[in-house]
Amino acid sequence: MEFFERFAVPHPSPLIYASMVAIGLTVIAIMAGITYFKKWGYLWREWLTTVDHKKIGIMYIISALLMLFRGGADAVMMRLQTAVPENSFLDAQHYNEVFTTHGIVMIIFMAMAFIIGLMNFAVPLQIGARDVAFPRLNAISFWLYFAGAMLFNISFVIGGSPDAGWTNYYPLASNDFSTSVGVNYYNWALQISGIGTLMTGINFIVTILKMRAPGMKLMKMPMFTWSALITNIIIVFAFPVLTIALLMGTFDRQFATHFFTTGDGGMDMMWANLFWVWGHPEVYILILPAFGIYSEVISTFSRRNLYGYKSMVASMVIISLLSFFVWVHHFFTMGQDALTNSIFSVTTMAIAIPTGIKIFNWLLTMWKGKIEFTVPMLYSVAFIPLFTIGGVTGVMLGMASADYQYHNTMFLVAHFHNVIIPGVVFAMLAGLTYWWPKMFGFKLNERIGKWGFWNLTIGFCLAFFPMYITGLDGQARRMYTYSEATGFGPLNMLSFLGAGIMAIGFIFIVYNVYYSFRYAPRNVGDDPWNARSLEWATHNPVPEYNFAITPQVNSSQAFWDSKKHGHQLFNKDDLKEIHMPNNSGLPIIMAGLFFVFGFSFVFYIWPGVILSGIGILACMAYRSFEKDDGYHISIKEIKETEDKFGGAK
Amino acid sequence: MRELFPMKQVNGFIFSLLLTIIALSVYFMDMSFELGMTILLVTAFVQAAVQLVLFMHAGESEDKSSIYTTVFYGVVIALATVFGSLLAMIWGYL
Ligand code: HEM
Ligand SMILES: [Cu+2]
């Protein structure tokens, strides 16, 4: 019995017990459903063991949407708690846990998964490749992310959630002040999914550099692919810092080292420093793919080619470098001298310049364009002014002396939601709607989509603009309640209403998936948006080998050229046998072992750590000796498939 | 015979042994902390460069320009991180 006591939640409440029951029932229901409909074999063969970048992309996106709802539930709980003064819906401890998990779930398990999902789906298609460079590694990346996400998500029913903020500052995060296993979960969940992300970074850099279709020079890549390349370069340079910082934190908490302690030669603020060395590049990892998606969507629906292609690329390259030179702006108030702060203040301002250039490029793309307001375009158009507000408040925060006033108030919270929601979340929804027909062969309903869009946008403004005001009035972030006399009540109520409207917006989006799945017409053709880049040149939905014939590329919008200027994409004589990678069960098995490894480590169950560790090494050894040459699709089979899709391309 | 003999690598090997001996001398000789650290840092970076260029063949393939670009980019970021951290954690309080 003693053994099991460690799994108890330190601060239980009826809400948590209810969630336990709900989780248990859902798992049982899903298992029973799959068994009843005899879908285990199908799931295993087609999805769990797949190495196909399109399916992996879709699995990333499904997981991201799940996490969006987990994080969204957290958000609504926080807004409900602060809707009126002196509320007691959540106590201080639960509030701490909720804002901590909200931040991590949204950034690491929602936004990162969503961008990587869309990259997985679209990038190989945009460059005319058959898959990513290392398909098996790609599957491992996904499953490690998934294992990390699940590990993090069980924390609130087994052992207790992390509660030191998503930034997890020491000494608060040390054993002295965070006594539950929560921060161990934080360390291991992020560590495991971070390894996956790092491998994705390497995988996509190689894919984009080595696997482009003939004729596609670097400066002829579609803008989303460019943004993916830059993003992955930032990933490869930024994530190792997080890996090491997490490891040092783990050693401090679990092996009594003194990296981040206040005494004994430790440096508690070193964690904050390392966290933001990773953390600021991380926000650009999130926003650059979003910029890429907006570039694709805006040029498609303005019916013009992207204005200032070269300056778009140059500004991203500059951002990728500058984003490593600004991190100290997250702790201007730590006590370093004015000179240090000024240096980082200047670099912070400098990064706004390339960002501004991009805004003008999008505006000039739309200028004199024939704009068509589809759902993806609506998100893109709303993004421009809303993101600009977020950028401007960012520059305000970037002034070190002024930041003493804004730091850790709701003003800061308003700033980063103002860049992340219209920037990242809108882009993900735009990208999902835009590429949906490529994934599933039908369009999402435009009318319901627009309802979703308007609810989200209006809800967003109501939820976050009031925070600028209460922040300037002195409402601190992460406070679980406030007194009536502060006068924060009405504006917080407004925020709560806004959050509610956003929730309704998401319900529209989910309903749209259901509705369109049932009723949307399936004859949308291969190019439903009249688009420009290569991914639209193949069939809908995409056959497993992507392109029967490797396309010949002459510009960044080769497909448009083939439609309008008689460019020949596919040379029929090039039809050759196709070599494809085999599916493998190893990635999911390894990720399962990693999950056990992380879980055992969280609870100091050493036999579990050792056994799963050996298991992981055994998987790697097996892989080293495994002979897997993939398989070939013969010309005859390709022709048959192509005929099914209505003729070879 | 001359073409087959890897003169560059042999010289590099001797050179890297030399670097190791110099680094080791910090332990055996009596010198100030600052001098010792300087010797260690310099020999470490030269050693890394020798390994990268001579034994990991950084400069011998077609994509050597992209290899050197990446290394350069990595070094810039590493230096910025190290010196920035020193600035924010130590020098900024002097
Ligand atoms: C013009 C560009 C931007 C500037 C000048 C800027 C500036 C800043 C500054 C100075 C802070 C720290 C303020 C404080 O703690 O007192 C901050 C926080 C933050 N920013 Fe930005 N920012 C910009 C764009 C972005 C973008 C594009 C994103 C994300 C996609 C982003 C996400 C965040 C986040 C997540 C935080 C705070 C996290 C936390 O403390 O929990 N920012 N920004
Ligand atoms: Cu930042």
Side-chain angles (χ1 to χ4, degrees):
Chain A
M1 225 33 229
E2 214 180 317
F3 177 78
F4 289 102
E5 266 162 31
R6 70 181 88 193
F7 299 127
V9 183
H11 301 274
S13 78
L15 222 55
I16 288 183
Y17 290 127
S19 322
M20 275 184 201
V21 176
I23 292 176
L25 289 180
T26 317
V27 171
I28 293 173
I30 292 176
M31 297 279 181
I34 297 174
T35 314
Y36 181 78
F37 291 108
K38 298 206 174 60
K39 289 287 184 196
W40 281 113
Y42 162 80
L43 258 186
W44 180 257
R45 278 191 312 277
E46 298 291 324
W47 294 93
L48 305 186
T49 60
T50 187
V51 294
D52 181 337
H53 70 97
K54 302 179 285 295
K55 287 182 177 166
I56 290 177
I58 290 170
M59 290 195 292
Y60 263 119
I61 292 170
I62 293 172
S63 320
L65 288 173
L66 281 177
M67 289 299 119
L68 181 65
F69 285 97
R70 159 76 210 264
D74 285 346
V76 172
M77 287 200 288
M78 285 188 283
R79 284 290 110 215
L80 186 63
Q81 163 63 22
T82 49
V84 290
E86 319 265 11
N87 200 359
S88 59
F89 167 63
L90 297 172
D91 61 26
Q93 174 61 26
H94 281 141
Y95 194 78
N96 291 350
E97 293 177 9
V98 170
F99 70 64
T100 303
T101 50
H102 168 77
I104 287 294
V105 164
M106 285 303 204
I107 301 257
I108 306 281
F109 300 128
M110 189 284 284
M112 284 299 280
F114 220 137
I115 60 164
I116 293 179
L118 289 175
M119 263 170 2
N120 255 294
F121 186 81
V123 166
L125 291 173
Q126 283 201 329
I127 61 174
R130 302 222 186 278
D131 206 317
V132 294
F134 311 112
R136 178 83 74 94
L137 194 68
N138 199 25
I140 297 182
S141 286
F142 169 73
W143 287 111
L144 283 185
Y145 149 73
F146 193 76
M150 289 303 116
L151 188 62
F152 194 81
N153 273 282
I154 58 167
S155 66
F156 80 111
V157 287
I158 305 180
S161 279
D163 55 359
W166 83 280
T167 47
N168 202 47
Y169 279 9
Y170 288 77
L172 178 59
S174 68
N175 283 332
D176 297 340
F177 301 101
S178 295
T179 46
S180 80
V181 292
V183 178
N184 297 352
Y185 268 117
Y186 176 102
N187 286 335
W188 283 107
L190 264 65
Q191 189 69 277
I192 291 171
S193 71
I195 298 171
T197 309
L198 194 51
M199 296 194 304
T200 301
I202 295 167
N203 210 341
F204 274 84
I205 293 177
V206 179
T207 306
I208 296 173
L209 290 182
K210 293 283 185 194
M211 297 183 56
R212 299 189 307 276
M216 188 182 278
K217 303 258 171 51
L218 279 179
M219 290 309 273
K220 289 180 179 169
M221 298 197 303
M223 195 47 67
F224 179 65
T225 300
W226 252 116
S227 72
L229 175 63
I230 304 286
T231 302
N232 285 296
I233 290 174
I234 306 183
I235 286 180
V236 167
F237 285 99
F239 266 76
V241 180
L242 179 69
T243 304
I244 295 304
L246 287 170
L247 207 61
M248 288 158 87
T250 304
F251 268 77
D252 264 18
R253 285 184 56 90
Q254 304 201 270
F255 301 116
T257 53
H258 295 275
F259 292 112
F260 305 135
T261 50
T262 41
D264 300 320
M267 250 187 184
D268 49 343
M269 280 307 290
M270 195 60 185
W271 163 268
N273 185 63
L274 292 177
F275 182 88
W276 288 114
V277 168
W278 160 80
H280 188 85
E282 164 68 15
V283 306
Y284 277 91
I285 291 169
L286 295 179
I287 200 70
L288 288 180
F291 287 173
I293 293 173
Y294 289 131
S295 301
E296 301 285 337
V297 169
I298 287 176
S299 93
T300 299
F301 295 108
S302 305
R303 308 280 170 241
R304 295 195 54 198
N305 71 9
L306 190 64
Y307 185 89
Y309 181 94
K310 281 188 189 140
S311 63
M312 283 292 205
V313 173
S315 63
M316 282 197 294
V317 173
I318 295 171
I319 287 176
S320 81
L321 205 63
L322 272 185
S323 67
F324 285 95
F325 288 79
V326 301
W327 76 94
V328 173
H329 69 212
H330 291 276
F331 46 88
F332 278 148
T333 57
M334 194 173 82
Q336 62 275 31
D337 62 7
L339 178 66
T340 308
N341 274 354
S342 309
I343 294 172
F344 286 96
S345 221
V346 171
T347 52
T348 303
M349 309 269 163
I351 210 168
I353 298 169
T355 316
I357 292 176
K358 301 184 80 78
I359 300 269
F360 283 109
N361 280 338
W362 290 312
L363 289 175
L364 289 169
T365 307
M366 288 194 279
W367 185 260
K368 291 195 179 153
K370 274 219 303 282
I371 299 180
E372 192 186 336
F373 284 104
T374 56
V375 171
M377 188 61 175
L378 279 176
Y379 281 116
S380 312
V381 172
F383 148 79
I384 294 177
L386 291 177
F387 184 82
T388 307
I389 299 174
V392 169
T393 56
V395 174
M396 289 171 72
L397 291 164
M399 290 184 278
S401 43
D403 187 51
Y404 271 79
Q405 190 69 25
Y406 313 133
H407 183 59
N408 274 356
T409 65
M410 294 307 276
F411 188 89
L412 162 72
V413 176
H415 155 68
F416 69 75
H417 285 91
N418 207 159
V419 279
I420 290 181
I421 293 176
V424 185
V425 178
F426 280 18
M428 300 304 112
L429 294 172
L432 184 63
T433 320
Y434 180 63
W435 280 308
W436 189 274
K438 267 280 121 146
M439 297 178 187
F440 301 108
F442 59 92
K443 277 192 191 180
L444 288 172
N445 183 288
E446 282 281 307
R447 246 175 78 86
I448 307 176
K450 283 178 185 169
W451 275 96
F453 163 78
W454 284 110
N455 273 286
L456 278 186
T457 307
I458 294 169
F460 164 76
C461 294
L462 281 181
F464 292 98
F465 288 163
M467 292 182 197
Y468 282 124
I469 302 171
T470 59
L472 289 180
D473 279 345
Q475 187 184 3
R477 75 190 289 198
R478 294 176 175 171
M479 296 293 291
Y480 85 106
T481 193
Y482 50 88
S483 74
E484 175 118 50
T486 56
F488 300 147
L491 284 175
N492 276 281
M493 179 51 96
L494 202 58
S495 276
F496 171 61
L497 293 178
I501 296 175
M502 289 186 81
I504 295 172
F506 283 117
I507 293 173
F508 272 113
I509 289 168
V510 175
Y511 175 68
N512 198 5
V513 171
Y514 164 79
Y515 179 90
S516 309
F517 183 73
R518 289 203 58 168
Y519 303 112
R522 304 293 148 131
N523 52 355
V524 290
D526 295 341
D527 177 26
W529 307 112
N530 193 9
R532 306 182 153 246
S533 47
L534 217 49
E535 73 269 32
W536 303 98
T538 183
H539 300 292
N540 248 3
V542 188
E544 58 174 329
Y545 46 73
N546 294 353
F547 298 91
I549 302 168
T550 308
Q552 299 285 332
V553 178
N554 64 335
S555 79
S556 67
Q557 36 184 359
F559 182 50
W560 186 258
D561 291 345
S562 80
K563 285 192 288 189
K564 304 286 163 175
H565 308 299
H567 169 66
Q568 203 193 354
L569 272 179
F570 303 106
N571 183 352
K572 290 262 185 310
D573 303 334
D574 285 353
L575 188 59
K576 290 198 203 74
E577 214 179 53
I578 297 175
H579 183 199
M580 297 294 291
N582 277 330
N583 284 359
S584 165
L586 211 58
I588 187 172
I589 294 173
M590 257 176 95
L593 287 166
F594 261 104
F595 179 89
V596 177
F597 183 82
F599 184 83
S600 312
F601 228 121
V602 166
F603 288 98
Y604 307 83
I605 305 172
W606 304 122
V609 171
I610 294 167
L611 286 178
S612 51
I614 293 175
I616 293 167
L617 291 177
C619 286
M620 288 156 122
Y622 175 82
R623 172 60 177 143
S624 306
F625 292 107
E626 185 184 4
K627 278 216 169 46
D628 177 5
D629 299 328
Y631 64 98
H632 290 264
I633 306 177
S634 68
I635 296 187
K636 190 165 147 278
E637 277 174 275
I638 302 171
K639 283 200 171 129
E640 278 167 11
T641 319
E642 294 292 306
D643 285 342
K644 230 174 39 216
F645 278 113
K649 281 256 165 182
Chain B
M1 200 58 208
R2 254 204 116 66
E3 296 86 74
L4 288 179
F5 191 71
M7 204 58 202
K8 250 168 69 185
Q9 271 72 16
V10 172
N11 281 339
F13 182 59
I14 295 170
F15 186 51
S16 77
L17 283 180
L18 197 70
L19 286 169
T20 314
I21 293 170
I22 299 175
L24 211 62
S25 71
V26 173
Y27 178 76
F28 289 108
M29 303 220 295
D30 204 18
M31 59 179 79
S32 70
F33 178 76
E34 283 77 19
L35 184 62
M37 270 325 251
T38 317
I39 294 179
L40 283 181
L41 277 174
V42 171
T43 50
F45 278 98
V46 177
Q47 182 77 269
V50 170
Q51 298 295 327
L52 199 68
V53 176
L54 282 179
F55 300 112
M56 294 168 82
H57 309 282
E60 291 171 24
S61 56
E62 283 167 29
D63 45 7
K64 86 178 196 199
S65 67
S66 71
I67 290 180
Y68 282 125
T69 312
T70 326
V71 171
F72 179 72
Y73 187 81
V75 168
V76 168
I77 289 173
L79 290 178
T81 309
V82 170
F83 285 98
S85 300
L86 283 170
L87 194 61
M89 307 298 300
I90 296 172
W91 298 337
Y93 301 83
L94 298 180

